[in-house]
Amino acid sequence: MVLEGLFAPRRDHKGMSTPSNAARLWLPLCVLAVSFWSWGVTDGNLVVWLCLTTFIVTPVLSVGWYLIGMVSNRYEPKYLIEKAEQAYLNRLARKNQQTH
């Protein structure tokens, strides 16, 4: 149940897919971890630290998001909030009424 809540893809009020909670959490966790590591490697040189952090975090984020996406494909999408699901259903109902 926890994995489903973490990895299930999210849908917005228009029914469009958005990242899962795991993908949303991956960004700050990854940036913090790489920043902490690179600070020690660069001996506190701010410019080199920023460059190294950006250089390392970019592929790490991409690989992480790819793996999270593979896991997320196993779960049914969920709406961000209940109101988003209701808004999407109302939008579909209005669209169907306009075509009939």
Side-chain angles (χ1 to χ4, degrees), residues 17-91:
S17 293
T18 64
S20 66
N21 287 338
R24 293 169 193 265
L25 289 172
W26 180 241
L27 175 67
L29 291 175
C30 187
V31 170
L32 285 173
V34 171
S35 295
F36 182 75
W37 168 81
S38 67
W39 185 257
V41 172
T42 61
D43 295 325
N45 185 327
L46 187 60
V47 174
V48 176
W49 171 73
L50 286 170
C51 292
L52 182 62
T53 299
T54 303
F55 182 72
I56 298 297
V57 84
T58 301
V60 172
L61 282 171
S62 297
V63 169
W65 283 329
Y66 176 76
L67 295 173
I68 289 169
M70 288 177 51
V71 173
S72 293
N73 285 335
R74 298 179 179 185
Y75 298 102
E76 287 294 318
K78 292 184 175 185
Y79 283 87
L80 290 169
I81 55 175
E82 290 179 28
K83 288 184 179 185
E85 182 175 11
Q86 190 58 46
Y88 177 68
L89 295 174
N90 290 341
R91 185 171 177 251

